[in-house]
Amino acid sequence: MDNEVICLSCPNGCRISVKQDRNGFIFEGAKCERGESYAYQEVTDPKRVVTAVIRTNSEILPYIPVKTDKPISKKYVRAILKEIYKHEIKLPVRCGDVVISNFMDTGVNVVVTRSFPL
Amino acid sequence: MKEKIYDVAIIGAGAAGMASALEIASTGARVVVIDREPHLGGILLQCIHNGFGLHLFKEELTGPEYAERFISEIKRKDIDILLNSTATRMAVFQTIKQINVCSSEHGVFKVNAKAIVLAMGCRERNRGNLGIPGTRPAGIFTAGLAQRLLNIDGYLPGKRVVIVGSGDIGLIMARRLTWTGAEVLGVVEILPYPSGLTRNIVQCLYDYDIPLYLSHVITKIEGRDRVEAVEVTPLENGIPNQSKSFRIECDTLLFSVGLVPENELTQSAGIKINPETGGPIVDARLMTSAEGVFACGNVLHVHDLVDWVSQEAQLCGKEVVAFLEGKTRDETQGRVSVGANLKYVIPNKYRLKTKNRFSMRALVVQDKATLMIKQGERVVKRLPLRHVKPAEMFHVEIKSEDLDEVYENGEPLPLQFSLE
């Protein structure tokens, strides 16, 4: 498997080439050690924070924003979005209120990111 | 007409308005914040993605979370808030400044204040600013408008989307639309390099295999009632080569082609505008050409990170307080002059006796550049920079010890900035 990862640990944005041999991965092009661990995570199990909005029962604020409280594996992004869109939330809400807990045993929760009314 | 009297009136309740209000109110001054929207927070409320606050709070927040940190503090303080209230005109008299305000709750009234902070932010450039030929169908939005429709009002602006310009809002919207079930068919960028942050290029485009057409332009918009397709043409040596044009069928076109400070109100008071930034010209106190009128945040110059907006607004708040106390009235200030490879430097003046903080943008994309700051022939500071590009603002601080007290025609020597 040959691949290239752009490191996002800092604004340098090193392009790290990733090769795989019998002993594991070989990373080239990182200017610092953070690049290697970033690239390792990216090729083995890339994770992202997912954000979306959820319908509320209010006409004043019909949608409330939510996020995953930690990055979730990229392979679950579609599934968690589908789950998020099924929900409707009753106001009032506080920032940090849990909407979905421990999604598919990933340890990731979906939390509200805006208090209303504030 | 009804009149309300305050020490300081702040126009705009976004990141800049809130941070300056908190700073000023902490000294006990009577402060009012005026905003046309029904909520405090400004544009942050529609930026539901994360990545805000890394510099200020050392953690990654979403826009609404970032805003809430300021909103809750404002609510704890004795600050008057006028929402659903539009400032329509501003007049500057010798000691008093007057703003005409119009609101559904209070009708038309005037706000009088000893000082004003302009914190109106910016707005998006649109199709009209680019002059793209073709029909005028429905389905053409700016990226920020689409973001508002989707994140605040809950409407999906379209199903097959092409994005013009690779600014950050457009990139964020590419991912957001993909996540809501729309198909993003490509991002068309006129420049040979993307104008958004690398992080957004990777996580919003590459993650979803959305093509990025660099050095390409939209040469035609098709469709009578609704957008049906766009014609995309590559640039060769800066000229569109129409023999290589191709069509993308789509129903929606988003523009993410830059922001302009919103300064109609500023100009209504006769305040001087800097053509390079689109914001007012300000001295070392962030005071505009009208005594007692200050500016900070995106209305002054467009920032790429909200953290820097808040920081600038806090500094501005401190200056407003010093002004009210009469501390900065007789300060001598020297000019700031912008030299090679720099688009602008803010503020436009510097002072000899205190620390100066400057924000600036490069005109060029370059690895290993050096920022040179000179006072006359003497080099004050030489700052090596790893990489510069117009999309990334950078800052420099100059201590008063580094400056010489040299005058020329009764004014301190100009401070000259250039990039080598």
Side-chain angles (χ1 to χ4, degrees):
Chain A
M1 185 186 72
D2 282 8
N3 221 330
E4 190 185 64
V5 172
I6 301 173
C7 179
L8 301 178
S9 304
C10 81
N12 266 347
C14 294
R15 286 168 185 272
I16 303 167
S17 77
V18 185
K19 290 197 177 84
Q20 197 172 22
D21 66 9
R22 272 161 297 165
N23 305 319
F25 293 107
I26 303 159
F27 301 104
E28 271 168 22
K31 287 186 190 133
C32 76
E33 65 277 13
R34 278 189 300 172
E36 238 173 70
S37 55
Y38 179 87
Y40 181 79
Q41 182 71 43
E42 270 300 290
V43 292
T44 52
D45 182 18
K47 290 183 171 177
R48 301 286 185 263
V49 167
V50 173
T51 60
V53 291
I54 288 187
R55 195 188 294 273
T56 73
N57 62 335
S58 154
E59 275 177 25
I60 306 163
L61 194 76
Y63 289 86
I64 201 97
V66 297
K67 70 169 184 186
T68 56
D69 62 354
K70 44 184 101 55
I72 187 167
S73 281
K74 242 166 91 176
K75 55 178 184 266
Y76 289 123
V77 169
R78 289 275 169 199
I80 202 165
L81 281 166
K82 214 171 160 188
E83 185 60 31
I84 288 172
Y85 294 141
K86 282 186 201 158
H87 282 256
E88 189 181 297
I89 206 166
K90 261 208 182 101
L91 299 184
V93 284
R94 303 299 303 165
C95 199
D97 283 359
V98 176
V99 184
I100 299 165
S101 64
N102 192 15
F103 178 75
M104 287 174 85
D105 284 330
T106 52
V108 174
N109 305 312
V110 175
V111 297
V112 170
T113 57
R114 178 176 178 183
S115 305
F116 196 85
L118 184 63
Chain B
M1 202 184 292
K2 269 191 296 187
E3 291 196 5
K4 294 172 186 277
I5 299 166
Y6 291 94
D7 291 324
V8 185
I10 295 167
I11 309 173
M18 292 194 295
S20 60
L22 286 171
E23 199 64 46
I24 298 163
S26 66
T27 63
R30 293 252 303 135
V31 179
V32 63
V33 183
I34 304 163
D35 198 282
R36 61 187 172 199
E37 288 290 318
H39 307 287
L40 292 170
I43 289 302
L44 280 166
L45 297 182
Q46 72 182 50
C47 301
I48 64 160
H49 56 280
N50 76 328
F52 301 92
L54 271 171
H55 296 274
L56 213 59
F57 298 114
K58 308 287 170 225
E59 58 180 304
E60 259 187 89
L61 303 170
T62 65
E65 289 173 311
Y66 186 95
E68 202 160 313
R69 302 244 165 153
F70 289 86
I71 298 170
S72 0
E73 231 182 298
I74 285 198
K75 299 234 158 152
R76 276 199 290 271
K77 287 234 161 68
D78 189 21
I79 297 174
D80 276 6
I81 297 159
L82 294 170
L83 295 172
N84 295 306
S85 303
T86 308
T88 53
R89 256 193 95 179
M90 184 167 71
V92 180
F93 306 104
Q94 283 210 312
T95 50
I96 212 81
K97 284 94 211 164
Q98 206 162 57
I99 306 165
N100 290 15
V101 185
C102 172
S103 92
S104 47
E105 195 184 338
H106 305 283
V108 179
F109 58 98
K110 282 189 199 304
V111 170
N112 291 327
K114 292 176 199 154
I116 288 178
V117 177
L118 304 174
M120 295 91 79
C122 56
R123 63 163 168 256
E124 299 177 277
R125 300 211 308 143
N126 55 36
R127 181 186 179 182
N129 298 104
L130 267 77
I132 293 176
T135 54
R136 297 174 56 100
I140 301 173
F141 305 88
T142 57
L145 174 59
Q147 187 180 45
R148 193 202 153 97
L149 287 173
L150 195 49
N151 294 346
I152 303 280
D153 305 318
Y155 298 113
L156 187 60
K159 288 182 177 153
R160 290 173 58 81
V161 185
V162 170
I163 296 172
V164 187
S166 58
D168 287 307
I169 314 169
L171 300 176
I172 294 289
M173 281 312 291
R175 177 178 62 187
R176 184 76 185 98
L177 285 161
T178 309
W179 281 356
T180 7
E183 202 181 340
V184 180
L185 303 158
V187 172
V188 181
E189 169 60 56
I190 187 167
L191 295 171
Y193 50 87
S195 58
L197 303 170
T198 314
R199 172 200 170 92
N200 289 335
I201 298 289
V202 173
Q203 298 196 344
C204 300
L205 300 186
Y206 296 171
D207 270 9
Y208 303 97
D209 299 318
I210 297 169
L212 172 60
Y213 300 103
L214 295 172
S215 299
H216 279 69
V217 290
I218 301 274
T219 36
K220 197 172 164 192
I221 298 172
E222 293 174 30
R224 209 185 82 97
D225 298 323
R226 179 82 195 188
V227 175
E228 283 165 13
V230 291
E231 184 187 77
V232 182
T233 306
L235 290 180
E236 281 170 14
N237 304 319
I239 300 158
N241 181 350
Q242 292 212 281
S243 66
K244 291 186 184 163
S245 295
F246 55 96
R247 245 174 123 246
I248 304 178
E249 282 182 21
C250 58
D251 59 24
T252 303
L253 197 57
L254 298 190
F255 283 94
S256 176
V257 288
L259 303 161
V260 221
E262 192 160 349
N263 274 300
E264 282 69 20
L265 198 63
T266 318
Q267 282 167 300
S268 78
I271 290 167
K272 288 196 190 106
I273 299 290
N274 179 348
E276 286 303 332
T277 56
I281 291 173
V282 288
D283 70 8
R285 298 168 287 180
L286 299 181
M287 191 196 280
T288 66
S289 62
E291 171 104 356
V293 180
F294 296 77
C296 56
N298 282 352
V299 80
L300 178 56
H301 58 129
V302 175
H303 296 61
D304 15 83
L305 296 182
V306 70
D307 302 65
W308 305 142
V309 169
S310 301
Q311 197 178 46
E312 187 177 271
Q314 280 161 354
L315 278 179
C316 181
K318 287 199 174 77
E319 293 296 340
V320 172
V321 172
F323 168 80
L324 290 175
E325 291 168 350
K327 282 183 186 158
T328 48
R329 206 148 290 168
D330 305 312
E331 238 174 9
T332 37
Q333 294 192 12
R335 267 190 320 116
V336 165
S337 83
V338 181
N341 299 325
L342 285 171
K343 184 162 168 60
Y344 68 79
V345 178
I346 294 280
N348 308 92
K349 287 200 167 173
Y350 76 101
R351 44 190 165 196
L352 291 165
K353 300 281 160 69
T354 50
K355 189 172 68 182
N356 290 275
R357 182 182 158 85
F358 299 96
S359 306
M360 64 209 77
R361 274 182 202 280
L363 265 180
V364 290
V365 180
Q366 196 182 314
D367 278 328
K368 292 208 176 86
T370 309
L371 177 70
M372 292 284 280
I373 304 170
K374 285 184 186 171
Q375 226 185 353
E377 286 309 302
R378 192 180 71 87
V379 176
V380 175
K381 193 158 193 162
R382 196 190 296 263
L383 183 72
L385 299 160
R386 232 184 250 160
H387 184 76
V388 291
K389 57 178 172 183
E392 272 170 30
M393 184 198 291
F394 56 100
H395 309 271
V396 62
E397 268 185 5
I398 297 176
K399 297 190 195 102
S400 54
E401 304 92 274
D402 297 335
L403 295 166
D404 280 342
E405 222 173 301
V406 200
Y407 294 85
E408 192 182 61
N409 308 325
E411 230 184 69
L413 275 181
L415 200 58
Q416 299 164 306
F417 285 72
S418 63
L419 202 60
E420 288 172 5

